[in-house]
Amino acid sequence: MSKFNIAALAVALTGTVHVKTAAGEPAYADAERKLPLLIHLHSPGSEIASVIEGRQTARSLKRMQDNDGKITAASPEERRTETAADLAALTIGFENFDYGEGLSGEPMFRAMYEDQALGHVTRQVAKYFGDWGNFSAASTSG
């Protein structure tokens, strides 16, 4: 009897989020609803995700060290900046939309994720990334 190859359960290295409005409706760039607003991400199983996880741990340890060993939460501003930096590094690209005049790539991603008025999009992306199931072979968009 052969054994199951556990590698068959590996997640995809990327995933795609279909951006929703603040009301929870799928967002499109056109009135015909043929151009979905998509954000392509590296998965939690990717190399960049492990780098980001290490960076988050280092930030937590530094914050604790700076506060005499006490666990201290980041301020709202720090949390927004850190989340934006992490999500920007995990973002491969935006599809059917952009953000900010003259911005592209990671600076554009970071600026969009830092925009408090678009916080609902940032939360969607963070929530999507946090669920490994979104990156299973059967689930490539959400």
Side-chain angles (χ1 to χ4, degrees):
M1 180 161 138
S2 66
K3 294 184 181 182
F4 179 76
N5 181 356
I6 195 71
L9 299 180
V11 295
L13 293 179
T14 63
T16 302
V17 179
H18 185 161
V19 175
K20 293 181 177 66
T21 66
E25 297 293 321
Y28 293 86
D30 62 333
E32 296 79 26
R33 299 173 60 90
K34 294 183 189 261
L35 299 171
L37 303 187
L38 303 175
I39 298 177
H40 302 284
L41 299 173
H42 293 283
S43 82
S46 67
E47 186 62 35
I48 187 67
S50 62
V51 170
I52 299 303
E53 188 176 348
R55 192 161 68 189
Q56 291 169 338
T57 300
R59 282 194 304 249
S60 294
L61 290 173
K62 180 173 181 350
R63 209 175 345 269
M64 205 162 103
Q65 183 180 24
D66 291 348
N67 290 291
D68 298 322
K70 296 178 186 145
I71 297 173
T72 307
S75 71
E77 296 80 18
E78 287 173 319
R79 190 170 55 252
R80 185 169 45 250
T81 299
E82 292 170 358
T83 298
D86 292 347
L87 291 178
L90 292 167
T91 299
I92 298 166
F94 293 164
E95 186 175 335
N96 298 320
F97 74 101
D98 58 14
Y99 180 88
E101 205 149 318
L103 295 176
S104 63
E106 197 164 324
M108 176 179 63
F109 307 150
R110 183 185 299 235
M112 196 273 306
Y113 292 129
E114 283 182 339
D115 187 336
Q116 186 64 27
L118 291 171
H120 61 286
V121 175
T122 302
R123 283 190 184 232
Q124 288 170 42
V125 174
K127 182 177 178 185
Y128 181 92
F129 179 79
D131 183 349
W132 283 67
N134 289 326
F135 298 89
S136 67
S139 175
T140 56
S141 66

